[in-house]
Amino acid sequence: MIMGGRKPCCDEVGLRKGPWTVEEDGKLVDFLRIRGSGGGWCWRDVPKLAGLRRCGKSCRLRWTNYLRPDLKRGLFSEEEIQLIIDLHARLGNRWSKIAVELPGRTDNDIKNYWNTHIKRKLIRMGIDPNTHRRFDQQKVNEEEKVLKVNSPKPPSQPEVVVPVVLQNDTSAGNLNELADVDGDDQPWSFLMENDGGGAGELTMLLSGNITSSCSSSSSLWLKYGDLGYEDLELGCFDD
DNA sequence: AACTATCGCAACCGCGCGGAT
DNA sequence: GATCCGCGCGGTTGCGATAGT
């Protein structure tokens, strides 16, 4: 039984699905420009009022994820990425809560970016994206197998896990100046991987708010903004 | 140039929550 | 308390774009 006896929202015959056309976008934007997003209507009524053959839910999604004028498009900045990682460590997959802290970004944007970029890189670094702590080596291998099954493209990077070192001249203050050796076009220097130029070294450069570097036990402590410390325990690679 | 594989994002789906009746 | 209703969330899917062969 459906909770509360709620009807499916999109069961009406003749409703359009799939990608929105420019004309549909225009109608929805016009409606919200005239009526305002403040209220006096509900999303269920929007298709009728705006002259759209869509369900209200689809209209709401289109507006919140794509048409809202305050949306920021384009690549995530380094600061945004760091913030997402920080917030995810604290909040988990509560994308809407995370989105609140990133003005102009939607929960959908953040979720997609997490799943397609950040999560994958964390796993490849041996960090569990759910707990933000390192996997044991067996788990790393398992996760990489899963990645390979889901993404059968041959890896462009060597799959062996290589030792982590911090560059000697790397200080917490100037990390942002370091180049992106990953080859990604993403504007971040976090989660770097071996560029092939070093002697099998994985160089990990972190943007911004590191407050200490490798300890003698080779654990790397990061300060997640005001969230406290996460021990990435990168010394696992020393073995 | 043609074909195939992969990626990334927009959109959909199903569910839970909370307010109203 | 039970039901109705709308909204919002998180997970998943489909497809166009792009890279690789």
Side-chain angles (χ1 to χ4, degrees):
Chain A
M1 171 190 169
I2 298 169
M3 268 278 288
R6 188 175 45 135
K7 290 183 293 186
C9 93
C10 299
D11 62 349
E12 277 185 56
V13 184
L15 288 185
R16 271 181 50 79
K17 283 186 181 181
W20 281 63
T21 64
V22 175
E23 189 189 357
E24 287 177 313
D25 282 348
K27 284 181 178 177
L28 186 55
V29 169
D30 284 347
F31 171 81
L32 282 147
R33 190 184 297 139
I34 294 166
R35 306 292 286 260
S37 53
W41 48 269
C42 67
W43 282 108
R44 200 181 178 83
D45 299 331
V46 168
K48 220 180 296 172
L49 297 169
L52 291 161
R53 298 179 67 79
R54 294 271 181 176
C55 71
K57 191 172 180 175
S58 181
C59 294
R60 179 177 59 79
L61 228 56
R62 182 65 177 170
W63 174 257
T64 55
N65 287 338
Y66 198 83
L67 296 174
R68 254 169 49 201
D70 59 324
L71 286 183
K72 206 190 284 182
R73 315 297 303 178
L75 292 175
F76 281 73
S77 71
E78 208 166 345
E79 289 74 21
E80 287 175 314
I81 292 163
Q82 187 63 56
L83 188 55
I84 291 168
I85 294 169
D86 291 349
L87 291 167
H88 188 272
R90 181 171 56 171
L91 300 170
N93 293 353
R94 295 190 179 88
W95 305 115
S96 59
K97 301 277 183 274
I98 293 172
V100 167
E101 305 297 326
L102 287 110
R105 301 294 188 181
T106 69
D107 54 350
N108 210 37
D109 274 345
I110 296 166
K111 179 174 59 182
N112 282 333
Y113 195 79
W114 175 269
N115 285 328
T116 56
H117 295 91
I118 303 174
K119 187 177 178 181
R120 191 167 299 183
K121 291 213 174 192
L122 285 170
I123 290 170
R124 285 163 70 183
M125 286 196 60
I127 298 168
D128 185 336
N130 298 314
T131 64
H132 291 249
R133 294 184 176 279
R134 71 171 172 83
F135 292 127
D136 56 40
Q137 188 54 56
Q138 186 185 350
K139 191 76 189 296
V140 174
N141 294 337
E142 285 170 9
E143 291 292 334
E144 286 191 339
K145 273 183 203 165
V146 170
L147 276 181
K148 265 188 269 182
V149 167
N150 293 336
S151 159
K153 179 188 172 188
S156 57
Q157 307 281 349
E159 289 196 57
V160 288
V161 178
V162 294
V164 174
V165 296
L166 287 178
Q167 293 182 342
N168 291 338
D169 59 350
T170 297
S171 64
N174 64 1
L175 287 166
N176 283 323
E177 296 170 14
L178 295 161
D180 183 345
V181 297
D182 193 27
D184 276 358
D185 54 3
Q186 305 301 336
W188 60 343
S189 54
F190 183 55
L191 305 179
M192 296 306 164
E193 293 173 75
N194 184 17
D195 65 354
E201 292 175 346
L202 175 69
T203 302
M204 183 177 180
L205 312 175
L206 296 114
S207 62
N209 44 11
I210 296 179
T211 55
S212 65
S213 58
C214 269
S215 68
S216 57
S217 63
S218 299
S219 289
L220 180 62
W221 291 82
L222 305 179
K223 186 171 188 301
Y224 276 164
D226 59 350
L227 304 174
Y229 291 89
E230 282 289 324
D231 184 6
L232 296 183
E233 294 182 82
L234 295 166
C236 63
F237 299 129
D238 288 345
D239 298 332

